[in-house]
Amino acid sequence: MSGNVVHLHKHTDPPAVDTRPALTVVPEQPAAPVVPLWVRSGRAIRTLVTHEHTRTATRTAARHGLYVFGGARIVARRTWDGRTAARYERMLRAAEAAGNYEAAAEWEERGQRFREARHRRRMDLLHSPADAAKGVLVGTGMGIGSLVALGVVLAIANKDVTDVVTPLMAVVEFIQLLITIVQVVWGPLVSIGPFLALLALWAVGSHQQAAPPWALPATVRDTAGEPITPSIVVKALRDLGVPALRNAIKEMGDAGASMLGPIRIAGCGVEVDVTLPSGVSTNEVQNRRRKLAENLTRHEHEVFITLPEAARTVRLWIADSGALDEPIGPSPLATDDTLTADYTKGRAPWGQDLRGDAAALSLYQRHLLITGLSNQGKTAALRALALWLALDRTVEFRIADLKGAGDWAMFIGLATILIQGPTDDHVIEATEMLEGGVTEMERRLQAPDGADFPPLILLVDEAQVAFMCPAKDEQKRPYGGSKATSRYFTAARKIHNQGRAVNVLLWQGTQDPTDQNLPKLVREGAHTRASLALGTESQARMALGDKAVDGGAAPNLLRPGLDKGTVVVASDGITIPAGQASITVRTHYIDTETATEIAERAKALRDGVTTLHVIERGEERDPLADIFAVLGDAPRVLTADVLKRLSALNSDAYGRWTPGDLKRVLEDAGAEPYKSDGRMVVGRDRVARALTNRNADGSASASE
C-alpha cells in the first residue's frame, strides 16, 4: 500500500489534458405558465359558440321554429280578416293616406255590405236550431217510411214477411260499421293531429318567410332592389336621423302613411311626394341623400330629391336597382335619315330624362353654356346639339375648338370658320372670331325694324383656355381674363347682352369651372346652362346658379366616369316638371363616325360652304379674289350669304359691307349679280371670268 503511494509521488509526466469540449452553461428558462383548465375550457366553448357552423345551425333551428309562430300569426290574421271587416278598414285607411278618396269610398261601401251580410247570417243562426231539428225529424220520418216501403216491396216479391225489416237492418249495420271505423281511426288521429297542424302552420310561415331577417338565409335576407312600397318609404324617412321627423311619424295614427302621395311609376323608377310634418325642413332631407338611399336599399346616385311647388314637400325619384347603369337608345339623328331641324320652332332630341321620356331642347335665341369635369362627355353633348341644328340649312356656324383633337373636324364644309388648336395663337383667332360676331351683330342691329336674320352660332369648345390666355395685343390689351379690357371677355359680354335679339348666339363648353376660367358675368349670361359631373357644390352653383342648386340640382353628386353624358339642365328651353328648377338628362352619345355621317347629310342641304381655318388680318385685301374664294365650288351663291362669308373672312375689311358695296365691286369687274328664282345671286363663272380678264389685262399692261 505504501509503495503505491511512493510511486505516485515520484511520477514526473505532465498531467493529461482534457480534450472534451467545455460544457456550455445554459441559463435556466422560466417555466411556461400553466393555463388553468377552466380557461382552456372557456376558449373551447367560445370557439364552438362563435363558429360559423354553430351560428348557421342556430339560425336554421330558430328559423324553422319561428316559421311555426309566424304561420300561426298569419293564419290567425287571415281568420280574423275573414270574419271581421278589418281588411276593408285597412284598405280604406291606405286609400285615404294615398289621397285616393274615390277608392276610399268604394272600400267603405264594400265594408258596409260585408257587415250587412254578416248580420243576416247571425240572425239566421238564431232560427237555425229549430229549423235543423224540424228538418232532421222530417228527414228521418221520410227515410224510415221509404225503407219500410222498400221492405214491403221486397216481402211481396220474395213472399217472405221478414224482408219488411231487411232495409232497416242494412242501414243499422252500415251505421255500426262507421262507428267501428271511427273508433279505430280516432286514437291515432288524436295523436298525430297536432303534428299535422304544426306542419301546416310551418308550411304557411315558410312560404311567407315569416321569420326575422337575421334568421333567414343570406339569399333571402338580400333586399337590394326590392320594390318601393309606402311602408319602405316611411321606414326610410323614420330612420333618417332627424329627431323631429322620427317623433312625428311615431305620433301619427297611421304610422306616417298620410305623409305620402301616390307612388307613381316614372320611367325606370318610381316617384312619390312626401309632405313633411311641422318642424322638419326640406333641406334636412336633402342633406341626407346618401342615408336615405341606403335606407331604401339603393345607391346614392339612384335617388334624386327635388322640391315641387307644394310647401314643405320633397319629391323622391327612386330608380330601379341598376337601371341607371344601363345605356339608353341611339339618337334619332342616327336612326332617322329624313330628320331635319327647325331653329325657330324645333327642339333638339338630346336624350332621355330619368322618367324615360324624351328630353328635347329648344335652341331658339338662347345662349348656351355646358360645363363639367374633364372626359365626362361635354364635347359629345355639345356636338349633338350642333349636329341637329346643322340640319337647318339657314344656320351658320363659326367654331373654335381650343382643344384641337379633331372632335369638330366633321364641320369642315359646314362651318364658315373652324379653328382647331390650344395655343395662344388659336385663342387670338377665336377672340377675333367672336369680335367678328360682334361686328355682324351690330350690323344687324342697325338694320330696319322687322328684318329677319338667319341664325349665327358662335361656338367655343374648351372656352376656359381663352379666359386663361396670357397673350396681349399691340395695345397691351389682354385676350384672356375677365377685366373690362379683356378682349374675349368683352366680346362674349356684348353678344350676351344684345345678340339673341338678332339671332347671334354664343355657345360655350368649358371644364372644371372656377371664377378665373369662367367669370361670373359670362356664366350668368347663358339662357341654357347644363352641367355634367362636377367635384363640389360650389362648382355646381357656378355651373347652374344658386336657384337650381337650392332646388335640388346636384351635378356634384354624379359619378365621374360612370355617369358620362348625364347632364343637369337649367333652362326654359326644356320641359321641367312643375315646381322644379332643373332636370337631369341622359344624353344620346353620337360617336365620331356617326357624327360625320350626320354632317354629310347637313352638307347636302347647303349649296357649299367654304370653311376658313385661319382668320386673316392686317393685310391689304383683294375684294374680287376674296369674293371668288368664299364662293367655294357652288355655281351660284345668294348675295346675303356672300356678305356673311366675307365678314367671316375678315371682319375689319368686310364687316360693314352692304349689298350695295358688293354690287359695286362686282359691276366694276364685269361680274354683276343677277336674279335666280327671284333672288339675287353671285355667279361663280362670272367672277372667275372677271378675275381671268383682269389678270390678263394686268399681264398685257406689264409687258407693254
Side-chain angles (χ1 to χ4, degrees), residues 405-447:
D407 293 331
W408 297 90
M410 70 287 301
F411 276 79
I412 297 176
L414 272 179
T416 53
I417 295 176
L418 179 57
I419 300 165
Q420 300 183 90
T423 67
D424 289 349
D425 288 338
H426 293 101
V427 172
I428 293 173
E429 294 176 355
T431 302
E432 294 181 348
M433 180 189 80
L434 256 63
E435 291 174 341
V438 173
T439 302
E440 172 64 17
M441 176 190 73
E442 292 173 345
R443 183 188 69 82
R444 295 181 178 189
L445 289 171
Q446 295 172 3

Side-chain angles (χ1 to χ4, degrees), residues 50-62:
T50 59
H51 196 276
E52 184 61 29
H53 293 326
T54 304
R55 297 171 65 182
T56 302
T58 303
R59 283 198 303 266
T60 302

Side-chain angles (χ1 to χ4, degrees), residues 597-619:
E597 296 175 358
I598 298 170
E600 292 300 323
R601 299 206 314 262
K603 294 174 187 177
L605 300 175
R606 290 164 168 78
D607 294 330
V609 175
T610 301
T611 300
L612 303 178
H613 297 277
V614 177
I615 299 178
E616 301 175 0
R617 51 191 181 274
E619 65 273 11

Side-chain angles (χ1 to χ4, degrees), residues 93-104 257-258 260-262:
R93 289 195 300 271
E96 288 178 343
N100 191 349
Y101 297 107
E102 293 182 0
S258 60
L260 306 185

